[in-house]
Structure formats: structure tokens, C-alpha cells
Amino acid sequence: MEAQNLLSGFFPNYKIPLTRTSKKPFSSSLPSNPSFHSLLQSHNCVSFKTHYSPCFKGSLKKIFFCVNASENAVLEEKDYKRPQVVKRKKLAVFVSGGGSNFKSIHDACFEGLVHGDIVVLVTNKPDCGGAEYAKNKEIPVVLFPRTKDATDGLSPSDLVAALRSLEVDFILLAGYLKLIPAELIRAYPRSILNIHPSLLPAFGGKGYYGMKVHKAVIASGARYSGPTIHFVDEHYDTGRILAQRVVPVLANDTAEELAARVLHEEHQLYVEVTAALCEERLIWREDGVPLIQNRGNPNEYS
């Protein structure tokens, strides 16, 4: 079965969205040659400042045109390395519930904070809030996995084919409660992320999800909790940790209060990590630990 036919069966009016142009402006470098310099010396010149955009890798040229009171103009230009354009990434998001992290990432893509677009939503619950939101935003919804109660769901091989037909670059799990099959992990190595509502490796693994996590944290007497974003392997919550955010566990916290505090941080953290992912600012240490390169200072990592 062809992947495009699979997708059209779930979303018959779907067309792969056109790539959006980044809203952030940038300046092109101006020509540098003797005749151009002579022209500058005969005219008053204005000052230009290079704009930096997250869709470029490498440094951009800074050019300063200094005008003095006389007829002479001075041009100062620094050596530069031609920037490498980073293509806008295509994202698949997996959800099983309301999809609040999915909505945060979608909003960030639309606002230009993330250099990517969500091109498909995958769910095991076609009536969940995340699926309804996707349909309202004209994002195709795919059912996975296939079960005896969901015979129109995709098999692992069909899912891989569908994602490849959409040219998906990265997969983001946002409250998806099913174990990811090995076939999908092999097809997208180091390209699948998950967010978990505790500071892994504590309070993770099979059975630790949703409110169960926060109740276990409070019952343990832990003073801190928070979300963890990690790469996905063939087990629950055991992949390499990429990012964490810490929140306090207060003395009289209920599970609901702690969950709300953690969720607030989840929404911010997942957007930040997705932005770094789409800007190709992830590197892998020699020991296999993933790090995020600072956008402003490439020599700093988190």
C-alpha cells in the first residue's frame, strides 16, 4: 500500500503544506571590489547592521559604512565565512490526550520561534483533544497502531512509509502512551524525542505517566521535580537525556498542583529544545551524551 494513499485515507483533502518563509529578516552581504569602493568614496553612505537569523549556520559578514564631514567615506569590513542555510524541518508529533505540548510547539512554529512545521499528527486515540486540534488546524491525523478495535490503524512499516512520504525530519512524542516500535526507531535514529513529567531516571518506566508520576514524587518526599526531554530507544524512558527543568515540590502540594507547575515548564522547555533541533544546534559528546549548543555563543552548551 502506498504511503500517500494511506494518508489520503485519513485526511482526503490534505496537501503537504508549503514551507513558510522565516519572519525574521536578514541582510545580504554587499559586493566587495575596487570599483564598488570607489563608488562609496564619491557618495555619502548609510550604516548597515547585519541581522542574525536562526535559519543560518556560520557567521555573517558585518559591514560598517562610516561617513565623515568631508567627502571621503571609509569602508570597514570583517572577514566572514559564508553562512550555510538550514532548511526548515518537518515534524511529526505523537499524542494520546489533550496535546497541550503539541499545541505549544505548533504555536511556536506559526510564530516563527521554531524553524519547522508540524506536517502530521499520530495518535492511538482518534477522538482525543490533540487529534481534534490537529483537524481544526488542517494537520493530517494518522491512527497508530493497528489493533483489533482500530483496524484502520497503520502497521509499523506503513507508518514509516507514511512519515517518509511526508519527508519528516524529527518525531516528537507529546503524551503518547504507546511503546514506539523498533522499526520506527531504526528508521529515525537520534531523531525521536519524548517529554516525561519527572526528573529522569527517577519516576520513569512502564506505568509512570500522567498523575501517577506526580503522586509518586510527592509520596517519596522528593524536594524537586520537573520535566525531562530525552531521546527515545526501545524501552520506556531510558533514552539519553537531552534537557531538564527543575521545579520545587512544596510541603503541602497536591498531585494536581505539582502537575500544573511541571506542565508550565514543559511547554517552555519543549519549544526551546525543538527550536534547537530544527536549527541543528544539537551535538553528541564522545561518550554519547547529547548537548544543546547556545545560539548566541557556539562555545557554550547545555
Side-chain angles (χ1 to χ4, degrees), residues 165-205:
S165 75
L166 290 170
E167 300 179 339
V168 167
D169 296 294
F170 298 108
I171 296 171
L172 309 175
L173 310 186
Y176 184 72
L177 302 181
K178 294 291 185 180
L179 189 65
I180 300 301
E183 188 170 346
L184 185 59
I185 294 170
R186 287 193 297 267
Y188 284 89
R190 290 183 170 182
S191 300
I192 307 176
L193 291 178
N194 181 50
I195 190 162
H196 183 78
S198 74
L199 296 174
L200 293 175
F203 308 105

Side-chain angles (χ1 to χ4, degrees), residues 68-123:
N68 56 26
S70 67
E71 295 181 356
N72 295 324
V74 179
L75 172 68
E76 175 192 349
E77 55 180 306
K78 296 183 179 180
D79 292 335
Y80 75 107
K81 183 168 61 177
R82 185 174 295 280
Q84 174 187 344
V85 177
V86 177
K87 79 178 184 72
R88 196 170 180 88
K89 300 300 188 292
K90 295 182 179 180
L91 310 172
V93 180
F94 287 43
V95 305
S96 292
S100 64
N101 276 300
F102 159 49
K103 296 172 187 176
S104 294
I105 295 168
H106 178 260
D107 287 344
C109 291
F110 184 78
E111 294 167 5
L113 300 176
V114 171
H115 192 58
D117 298 290
I118 298 173
V119 298
V120 64
L121 182 91
V122 179
T123 183

Side-chain angles (χ1 to χ4, degrees), residues 1 6-7 10 142-146 150 152-156 158-159 162:
M1 185 181 299
L6 290 170
L7 287 174
F10 292 102
V142 169
L143 184 61
F144 177 81
R146 179 185 300 157
D152 53 347
L154 299 188
S155 67
D158 285 342
L159 178 61

Side-chain angles (χ1 to χ4, degrees), residues 4-281:
Q4 191 61 42
N5 292 336
L6 290 170
L7 287 174
S8 62
F10 292 102
F11 207 86
N13 297 324
Y14 172 66
K15 294 181 180 179
I16 296 175
L18 296 176
T19 301
R20 291 193 187 92
T21 303
S22 173
K23 296 182 180 179
K24 297 182 182 295
F26 65 93
S27 297
S28 300
S29 57
L30 298 176
S32 176
N33 55 57
S35 60
F36 179 62
H37 286 208
S38 299
L39 180 64
L40 289 175
Q41 291 176 353
S42 62
H43 295 79
N44 285 339
C45 304
V46 296
S47 297
F48 291 86
K49 182 178 179 181
T50 300
H51 295 270
Y52 292 90
S53 173
C55 58
F56 287 92
K57 292 181 70 178
S59 58
L60 291 175
K61 186 189 216 177
K62 285 187 178 179
I63 305 175
F64 304 94
F65 297 97
C66 305
V67 181
N68 56 26
S70 67
E71 295 181 356
N72 295 324
V74 179
L75 172 68
E76 175 192 349
E77 55 180 306
K78 296 183 179 180
D79 292 335
Y80 75 107
K81 183 168 61 177
R82 185 174 295 280
Q84 174 187 344
V85 177
V86 177
K87 79 178 184 72
R88 196 170 180 88
K89 300 300 188 292
K90 295 182 179 180
L91 310 172
V93 180
F94 287 43
V95 305
S96 292
S100 64
N101 276 300
F102 159 49
K103 296 172 187 176
S104 294
I105 295 168
H106 178 260
D107 287 344
C109 291
F110 184 78
E111 294 167 5
L113 300 176
V114 171
H115 192 58
D117 298 290
I118 298 173
V119 298
V120 64
L121 182 91
V122 179
T123 183
N124 62 313
K125 296 183 178 181
D127 297 325
C128 69
E132 291 301 319
Y133 177 86
K135 293 172 186 175
N136 290 336
K137 298 297 181 179
E138 298 187 344
I139 299 171
V141 176
V142 169
L143 184 61
F144 177 81
R146 179 185 300 157
T147 66
K148 63 180 181 180
D149 297 323
T151 56
D152 53 347
L154 299 188
S155 67
S157 59
D158 285 342
L159 178 61
V160 170
L163 296 179
R164 283 179 170 164
S165 75
L166 290 170
E167 300 179 339
V168 167
D169 296 294
F170 298 108
I171 296 171
L172 309 175
L173 310 186
Y176 184 72
L177 302 181
K178 294 291 185 180
L179 189 65
I180 300 301
E183 188 170 346
L184 185 59
I185 294 170
R186 287 193 297 267
Y188 284 89
R190 290 183 170 182
S191 300
I192 307 176
L193 291 178
N194 181 50
I195 190 162
H196 183 78
S198 74
L199 296 174
L200 293 175
F203 308 105
K206 188 174 182 179
Y208 278 101
Y209 61 89
M211 211 57 66
K212 293 181 179 181
V213 173
H214 305 297
K215 289 179 179 178
V217 169
I218 292 172
S220 74
R223 274 22 178 202
Y224 298 96
S225 189
T228 297
I229 294 176
H230 64 94
F231 282 91
V232 174
D233 58 19
E234 297 179 18
H235 306 282
Y236 286 107
D237 305 327
T238 58
R240 289 287 191 171
I241 292 172
L242 178 59
Q244 293 180 313
R245 191 69 54 82
V246 176
V247 302
V249 180
L250 305 181
N252 297 315
D253 262 345
T254 64
E256 290 75 15
E257 290 169 337
L258 178 58
R261 195 176 305 123
V262 171
L263 186 63
H264 179 266
E265 299 301 324
E266 285 185 32
H267 293 163
Q268 297 182 35
L269 186 63
Y270 220 168
V271 167
E272 291 172 11
V273 169
T274 303
L277 194 68
C278 292
E279 293 166 24
E280 300 180 3
R281 289 190 285 111

